[in-house]
Amino acid sequence: MLHLHGLLDFTDCFTDCDSGSIDSRPNYWYEGRCPQSGELLRLPRTRMSEDLARGLMQYLAADDSYAREGKMYGILLVEMPSGEQGILKAFSGLLNGCSIVEGWVPPIPGRDRVAFEEARTLTQLEAMKQELIALNQLPQRQEYEALFREFEVQLQVLSDRHRTCKQQRDEKRQLVCQTLAAETLEIALEQLNQESRLEGIERRQLKRQRDETLQPLKQLIEAADERMRALKQRRKELSRELQTQMHAAYTLVNFLGTSRSLSSLMPTNSIPTGTGDCCAPKLLHCAAVNNLKPLAMAEFWWGPPSGDKIQGEFYGACGDRCQPLMGFLLSGLAQNPIVSNINEGVTGGLDSPPTSNNFYCATGILQITRMLPIIYEDKWLVAVNKLTGLLSVPGRYLENQDSVLSRLRNLFPDSFDLTAVHRLDWETSGILLLARDKETSRQLRQQFEKKQVHKVYEAVLSGTVNVDTGTIDLPLWGDPENRPYQQVNWECGKPSVTRFQVMAREGNHTRIEFWPLTGRTHQLRVHAADVRGLGIPILGDRLYGCRAAANRLHLHARELSFEHPQLGERLYLKTETPF
């Protein structure tokens, strides 16, 4: 058994619990299709695994060395052959320049087999980097710029003088034409024309002097730029060659005992750099090699922010590096008592008990036919009960590709025109409607725009609301310098109207229904939190000022009704609120 340094000090309280005590309501699923059977395999991120990960955060916070660089960390809760539970912890990439750190899961094997080639290539890449820096900082570049600006000034001064002289000549021409005649006039005009020709010669001489002075420098700079282009191209080729060698050498093992190289699992000419170094594959590979049964996993960001990554926040498998490996890594995973049936609709959601006929196959490989709780489906529409912590549509960055839309496109590969008709925030759960063809999408969007779609949200506020019912009318504006934050702005804001009704007051909290009459970004969250609205943020909404402890944003899109674009019937959808 792998020794788990650094974690046992804060997880002793969990080591005596049995598998059945693990929270059965996952906040996220690590999932992928088995390469052999095509079945969807899943591993949850539960509240318990998140609590264990928060313990690791406390461990990291106690040592400043972990805050120097931002990266993903993860824990995997496992069951040992003895039946006892343990925890593995891992980091992505290198930790302070090291791939092997005592007490952490080691890197996936294979890198050592290309260590010499890696060292040689890295030396070449470093030499190229230094040459690129030198070429970019070539002294002749500054000399060229300085001389170019100097000649531009001289040309401008010359042009200004010539312009004044031309104006004076024009005035003289007019005067001599009025006062002189015949041969005397011709001589005077020729003198003026000669002055003009001399000025043209003067300008051409200055330009020739400029070109003769700058041309050698320009040729040298162009040669340097060409060398830089060649170096960058060669650097890409070397990096690609090294990555190809490493991907061929990296060997992953799954719970069937099957070994595969990264290059065989991701047959593409552009496998992303760092594939195989993320913590999720490292954790699952380590568990498979050591005959440990995964129960739940959780990954989080720690260190300086990067892109949309924030310290202490949980994230799922990245779309380009980890997600393509999940199906293989989870293959052969034994029956897990914390996985819940999500195939029978939404009323029970993730709380529904598993059934024997659709949960596990005879070999013990997990098979679930739905990637998401689908509450309605026909040849025109799909409606799902979106989980909290899942995007509605893929994000801008590669690590934010996992979403309702991307999962359904994998589930329905023939639905080329599948689109999300509206959006729910990443943290908001509930009904999300998607269209399977362009015409249905167009008609549904029109219904949303014309406010013909009836929406009901349920939320828990982090305080007590004194009024029972009312309407909030506060225009919202998104500051482009502080996205995605929205604020009330009477000058620039767009009309935003919400009706509300208190359902119950539960201690220091208020359960409330919202009927948004418009559909602005973060509308309900701002209308709840702003003092001109309810003045109390939704529980778990840290972006808008909630400081109370909460495991999620307590906002759920509970009901949705609209006219079916093709059937002409009013469709009414409803889900259970999960909090």
Side-chain angles (χ1 to χ4, degrees), residues 120-169:
R120 187 177 70 86
T121 302
L122 291 177
T123 300
Q124 289 178 287
L125 292 175
E126 179 61 26
M128 291 179 180
K129 176 183 175 182
Q130 295 304 320
E131 185 176 355
L132 283 168
I133 292 173
L135 289 170
N136 190 52
Q137 297 176 350
L138 207 64
Q140 286 83 352
R141 293 183 188 275
Q142 293 182 347
E143 183 182 355
Y144 178 90
E145 290 296 328
L147 288 171
F148 182 83
R149 287 193 297 269
E150 182 179 332
F151 277 109
E152 286 296 302
V153 170
Q154 292 180 31
L155 282 168
Q156 186 61 51
V157 170
L158 192 65
S159 296
D160 293 343
R161 178 163 60 82
H162 286 174
R163 188 181 303 109
T164 301
C165 291
K166 183 179 182 303
Q167 292 174 352
Q168 293 174 350
R169 283 196 301 273

Side-chain angles (χ1 to χ4, degrees), residues 18-24 26 29-30 42-46 76-79 85 255 284 292-297 330 332-341 354 359-360 364-368:
D18 58 26
S19 300
S21 66
I22 302 170
D23 188 346
S24 62
W29 293 96
Y30 294 89
R42 316 182 95 192
L43 179 68
R45 184 181 78 210
T46 62
L76 180 64
L77 181 62
V78 296
E79 183 179 291
Q85 292 181 6
F255 297 92
L284 292 172
L292 307 174
K293 175 183 175 182
L295 302 176
M297 185 162 60
L330 295 174
L333 185 60
Q335 180 168 337
N336 190 332
I338 64 175
V339 180
S340 303
N341 173 34
F359 202 56
Y360 293 100
I365 300 176
L366 172 62
Q367 51 179 340
I368 298 178

Side-chain angles (χ1 to χ4, degrees), residues 293-312:
K293 175 183 175 182
L295 302 176
M297 185 162 60
E299 294 178 283
F300 62 91
W301 183 266
W302 193 263
S306 176
D308 63 340
K309 295 293 189 298
I310 301 173
Q311 179 168 292

Side-chain angles (χ1 to χ4, degrees), residues 1-242:
M1 174 60 191
L2 189 71
H3 188 41
L4 308 176
H5 300 286
L7 276 181
L8 298 181
D9 56 343
F10 65 80
T11 58
D12 288 342
C13 58
F14 296 107
T15 55
D16 294 330
C17 64
D18 58 26
S19 300
S21 66
I22 302 170
D23 188 346
S24 62
R25 296 178 60 186
N27 292 326
Y28 173 80
W29 293 96
Y30 294 89
E31 60 186 15
R33 293 193 177 275
C34 175
Q36 287 76 33
S37 67
E39 301 297 341
L40 184 66
L41 314 177
R42 316 182 95 192
L43 179 68
R45 184 181 78 210
T46 62
R47 294 179 184 178
M48 181 176 179
S49 63
E50 290 182 354
D51 288 340
L52 293 170
R54 290 188 183 96
L56 178 55
M57 293 180 199
Q58 296 176 9
Y59 171 76
L60 299 177
D63 188 339
D64 291 339
S65 64
Y66 293 109
R68 295 172 187 166
E69 53 184 356
K71 64 174 62 271
M72 294 292 289
Y73 293 83
I75 66 98
L76 180 64
L77 181 62
V78 296
E79 183 179 291
M80 304 179 225
S82 64
E84 297 177 325
Q85 292 181 6
I87 304 161
L88 304 177
K89 68 179 190 287
F91 52 83
S92 291
L94 304 177
L95 185 57
N96 295 324
C98 299
S99 61
I100 300 177
V101 179
E102 184 180 4
W104 297 83
V105 164
I108 293 172
R111 191 165 189 156
D112 54 333
R113 295 200 292 272
V114 292
F116 175 78
E117 185 64 27
E118 181 183 14
R120 187 177 70 86
T121 302
L122 291 177
T123 300
Q124 289 178 287
L125 292 175
E126 179 61 26
M128 291 179 180
K129 176 183 175 182
Q130 295 304 320
E131 185 176 355
L132 283 168
I133 292 173
L135 289 170
N136 190 52
Q137 297 176 350
L138 207 64
Q140 286 83 352
R141 293 183 188 275
Q142 293 182 347
E143 183 182 355
Y144 178 90
E145 290 296 328
L147 288 171
F148 182 83
R149 287 193 297 269
E150 182 179 332
F151 277 109
E152 286 296 302
V153 170
Q154 292 180 31
L155 282 168
Q156 186 61 51
V157 170
L158 192 65
S159 296
D160 293 343
R161 178 163 60 82
H162 286 174
R163 188 181 303 109
T164 301
C165 291
K166 183 179 182 303
Q167 292 174 352
Q168 293 174 350
R169 283 196 301 273
D170 290 342
E171 293 173 356
K172 287 181 180 180
R173 282 192 182 94
Q174 187 176 7
L175 180 62
V176 297
C177 286
Q178 294 174 351
T179 58
L180 301 179
E183 187 175 330
T184 307
L185 174 61
E186 184 177 347
I187 294 172
L189 291 174
E190 178 59 28
Q191 289 177 344
L192 293 173
N193 291 337
Q194 180 64 17
E195 290 178 12
S196 179
R197 287 192 289 272
L198 290 174
E199 288 179 358
I201 293 171
E202 184 181 17
R203 183 175 182 82
R204 288 193 293 275
Q205 287 177 340
L206 181 58
K207 286 186 175 181
R208 190 180 302 113
Q209 181 186 357
R210 177 197 63 186
D211 294 342
E212 291 174 352
T213 303
L214 295 180
Q215 188 62 25
L217 294 173
K218 184 178 180 181
Q219 290 176 346
L220 192 150
I221 292 170
E222 288 176 347
D225 289 342
E226 181 62 30
R227 173 60 178 166
M228 289 179 70
R229 284 191 289 271
L231 282 172
K232 289 178 180 179
Q233 180 61 31
R234 182 53 184 156
R235 187 171 61 172
K236 286 182 180 179
E237 292 172 356
L238 282 174
S239 297
R240 192 179 301 116
E241 290 170 5
L242 178 60

Side-chain angles (χ1 to χ4, degrees), residues 436-554:
R436 303 178 78 163
D437 62 78
K438 294 181 179 179
E439 179 58 25
T440 301
S441 176
R442 184 187 66 80
Q443 294 187 38
L444 285 173
R445 290 179 188 275
Q446 284 185 348
Q447 291 190 46
F448 275 93
E449 291 170 1
K450 294 178 180 179
K451 301 179 177 57
Q452 296 170 343
V453 178
H454 180 66
K455 298 172 285 185
V456 180
Y457 287 72
E458 187 171 330
V460 175
L461 305 188
S462 58
T464 303
V465 175
N466 295 323
V467 294
D468 292 330
T469 186
T471 300
I472 304 168
D473 186 354
L474 296 173
L476 298 184
W477 179 71
D479 185 348
E481 301 297 326
N482 190 24
R483 292 180 176 175
Y485 187 83
Q486 305 290 310
Q487 61 187 16
V488 175
N489 188 307
W490 296 99
E491 294 181 0
C492 305
K494 295 181 179 181
S496 306
V497 183
T498 304
R499 290 171 50 212
F500 69 90
Q501 180 173 321
V502 171
M503 300 172 64
R505 293 177 176 85
E506 305 164 347
N508 294 327
H509 297 151
T510 303
R511 186 170 293 272
I512 195 168
E513 281 183 339
F514 286 119
W515 297 280
L517 305 184
T518 53
R520 308 300 178 198
T521 301
H522 293 184
Q523 175 174 320
L524 302 181
R525 298 167 66 176
V526 178
H527 282 184
D530 194 276
V531 292
R532 291 158 290 189
L534 296 176
I536 301 174
I538 296 173
L539 185 62
D541 194 354
R542 292 197 291 172
L543 182 63
Y544 292 102
C546 178
R547 298 293 177 260
N551 66 335
R552 58 158 292 175
L553 175 70
H554 284 57

